Amino acid sequence: ILAFLGDTLLVLSFQTPLKKTNALIAQMGITFVNAYVPSALCCPSRASILTGKYPHNHHVVNNTLEGNCSSKLWQKIQEPYTFPALLKAMCGYQTFFAGKYLNEYGAEDAGGVGHVPPGWSFWYALEKNSKYYNYTLSVNGKARRHGENYSVDYLTDVLANMSLDFLEYKSNFEPFFMMIATPAPHSPWTPAPQYTKSFQNVSAPRNSNFNIHGKNKHWLIRQAKTPMTNSSIQFLDDAYRKRWQTLLSVDDLIEKLVKKLEVNGELDNTYIFYTSDNGFHTGQFSLPIDKRQLYEFDIKVPLLVRGPGIKPNQTNKMLVANIDLGPTILDIAGYDLNKTQMDGMSLLPLLRGDKNVTWRSDFLVEYQGEGYNGSDPTCPGLGPGVTHCFPDCVCEDSYNNTYACVRTLSASWDLQYCEFDDREVFVEVYNLTADPHQINNIAKTIDQEILEKMNYRLMMLQSCSGATCRTPGVFDPGYRFDPRLMFSNHGLRARRFSAQFL
C-alpha cells in the first residue's frame, strides 16, 4: 500500500501539472470527484487522516502545540491508535514514512526529532513545517541537516530517493505500507531549477467568485477589499505558478516510484492512493491567498486510487472524506474495523465496484479560528482578534472564524449548511446545484424546516463518535428528526470544539 500526500493542493487544477500522476494513477484506477477534508488546515487534517477521526474527536484544532498539533497529549492519546500503528502491530506490515508529518513535529517541548511515533519501521520526517532547502530530517530519531545544494538537498527529490531505497531493500516476506508526504506545493513554493520557467502564461482561475465582494457572508469574508489591489493579484498569480512548478517534481517522484514497483513485480499487487490535506484559495471572494474557510475551494481535495480489483478510468461521485483513508487501508490489510474508534468508512466496497453499497449523504466540517485579543499593529482599524493579515489589511482568519458545517450530497440535494460560533450565530447556506461557486447565501430564504433539520443534524455530527458519525443524513430515508430541538435555541454554541476539550 503506497500513499502520496501532497500539501495544500488546489483540486480544480491538479491534473494539469501532474500529467504523469494522472496517467499512472487516475487513468489506471478511480477518481473520487467529491472528496473532502473535515478541516481545511494542515495539522487538523493530517490528524484526521492518521486517526480516521473528526477534529472534535482527535482534538487537534490548529497548527500550534497549544492547539494539540504534535503535542505530548497527541502523542499519548492518539498516536498509539493511528492506522499505521495498527498496521504494524496488528497486521504485520513494515511501514515507511517520508516527508512532512505534523506542523509542530520536532518541537523541543514535544520531544524533538528524537520522537518517532509508534507504528513506523522507517521514519524520515521533516522537522516542523514545509521547506525545500535548509531543513532538518528526523532519520529514525536522529537529526540530519540538509543545506541548499539542489543535487543532494531538494526535499522532494530527497524523499523520492529515500522511498526508492526502501523499495529496493525492504523485506519481501512482509507486506509494506509507505506514506510519502511532500510539502509541495506548500509555501515557500520553491521549484526545482529545471522547472523555474514552466507555466509562464498560467494565472489563478478567474471563476465567477474571483475578486468579488463576499456579500451575505460572515464578517471575515466581507472585510476583504474589493477589488483586490494589483499587488495582491500579482502576488497570488505568481504563487499559483510557483505551486504548479513545485508539483512537477512531485510528478517525477510518483513516476519513479510507480516504475520501481513495476520493475520489482509489485505494481499489480499494490494499492496506490494520491490525495492532499486541504484545498487553497487564490482570490476567491477577494481573499488573496490561504485556506481555512468553509467553501469548496478550501475543503475539497483530489483523491485518486489504483490497485488490485480497481478497474481503470473510473469516476466515483460518492461523498468521501479523508477520515475514510485509515479505515480503508486497515480494511485492505484485513483488520476488523469494529475494533477501532474511527469515524470514517472503508472505501474498499467503492474501490471494488460493489453494487448496492449503503453510503453516507453528508459529513461534518469544523474549524476553530485563530486570533488574539490584540489588534494587528499594521491594521489597527480592523480591531482585535484578526490574524494572517496581508499588507493591504485583508485578514484571512480571526478568533471567531470558528464554524461547523454539514456538507450534504444526495439524489435530491447538493447543500452546505454552516453555523459560526459568534455573537449572532451567523448562518451560511448554499445550494451548490444552482450556485456551484457559493456566491449566494440562501440562509434567509430556504425553507425553515430544512434549516431546522440541518441544525439538528449538525448538533448530532458535532457530538458523534465512531459509528454515530455514520448515521443517516437529513435526506436519507432512515433519518429521524425531533422537531422539539428548535433551530434558534441550539447549534454550535451547544458543542463548541475548543481548547477546553483537550
Side-chain angles (χ1 to χ4, degrees), residues 6 101 146 188 212 231 263 279 287 300 315 334 350 359 396 478 488 502:
Y101 178 56
H146 281 261
I212 66 169
S231 60
V263 168
L287 296 171
K300 200 170 188 180
T315 298
L350 303 183
W359 199 253
E396 294 279 1
S488 60
L502 298 182

Side-chain angles (χ1 to χ4, degrees), residues 302-335:
L303 178 57
L304 318 174
V305 191
R306 68 171 286 177
I310 302 176
K311 296 178 181 178
N313 274 315
Q314 288 191 82
T315 298
N316 187 288
K317 296 182 179 179
M318 294 295 195
L319 191 61
V320 302
N322 70 4
I323 56 173
D324 300 330
L325 295 174
T328 302
I329 291 168
L330 289 173
D331 198 12
I332 290 171
Y335 189 74

Side-chain angles (χ1 to χ4, degrees), residues 227-392:
M228 289 183 288
T229 61
N230 290 337
S231 60
S232 287
I233 293 176
Q234 183 178 350
F235 177 80
L236 66 87
D237 279 339
D238 187 50
Y240 192 86
R241 281 189 291 273
K242 288 179 179 177
R243 286 159 57 77
W244 274 29
Q245 291 167 0
T246 67
L247 286 172
L248 292 175
S249 294
V250 176
D251 213 28
D252 292 340
L253 177 153
I254 289 170
E255 179 186 42
K256 291 174 185 175
L257 291 180
V258 171
K259 285 185 175 180
K260 182 64 174 177
L261 288 169
E262 188 172 25
V263 168
N264 288 357
E266 296 175 317
L267 182 58
D268 292 340
N269 297 323
T270 302
Y271 287 92
I272 303 176
F273 294 77
Y274 179 88
T275 191
S276 181
D277 56 359
N278 47 255
F280 209 62
H281 59 257
T282 46
Q284 288 78 17
F285 303 126
S286 299
L287 296 171
I289 191 165
D290 198 49
K291 46 211 173 191
R292 45 182 115 228
Q293 309 305 337
L294 57 88
Y295 309 104
E296 292 285 283
F297 44 74
D298 282 1
I299 64 173
K300 200 170 188 180
V301 294
L303 178 57
L304 318 174
V305 191
R306 68 171 286 177
I310 302 176
K311 296 178 181 178
N313 274 315
Q314 288 191 82
T315 298
N316 187 288
K317 296 182 179 179
M318 294 295 195
L319 191 61
V320 302
N322 70 4
I323 56 173
D324 300 330
L325 295 174
T328 302
I329 291 168
L330 289 173
D331 198 12
I332 290 171
Y335 189 74
D336 183 359
L337 297 180
N338 292 322
K339 295 180 180 180
T340 75
Q341 298 297 315
M342 294 182 174
D343 303 331
M345 304 169 67
S346 171
L347 301 174
L348 192 54
L350 303 183
L351 298 178
R352 294 186 304 217
D354 292 357
K355 304 299 181 182
N356 301 317
V357 176
T358 300
W359 199 253
R360 70 161 68 87
S361 64
D362 64 12
F363 79 101
L364 176 68
V365 181
E366 49 190 355
Y367 176 68
Q368 180 171 313
E370 295 184 55
Y372 55 95
N373 287 331
S375 297
D376 188 309
T378 61
C379 307
L382 293 175
V386 295
T387 186
H388 295 81
C389 297
F390 274 73
D392 49 5

Side-chain angles (χ1 to χ4, degrees), residues 133-188:
Y133 294 108
N134 297 311
Y135 55 86
T136 297
L137 291 179
S138 171
V139 179
N140 298 316
K142 303 292 184 181
R144 179 186 293 174
R145 180 72 182 166
H146 281 261
E148 51 188 27
N149 181 341
Y150 168 72
S151 63
V152 294
D153 296 319
Y154 189 69
L155 182 56
T156 307
D157 294 348
V158 169
L159 300 180
N161 292 334
M162 289 176 166
S163 303
L164 291 170
D165 285 347
F166 171 76
L167 289 176
E168 178 69 24
Y169 298 112
K170 66 176 176 58
S171 167
N172 292 322
F173 302 101
E174 298 173 307
F176 70 90
F177 170 74
M178 304 176 70
M179 178 178 279
I180 303 163
T182 64
H186 195 286
S187 61

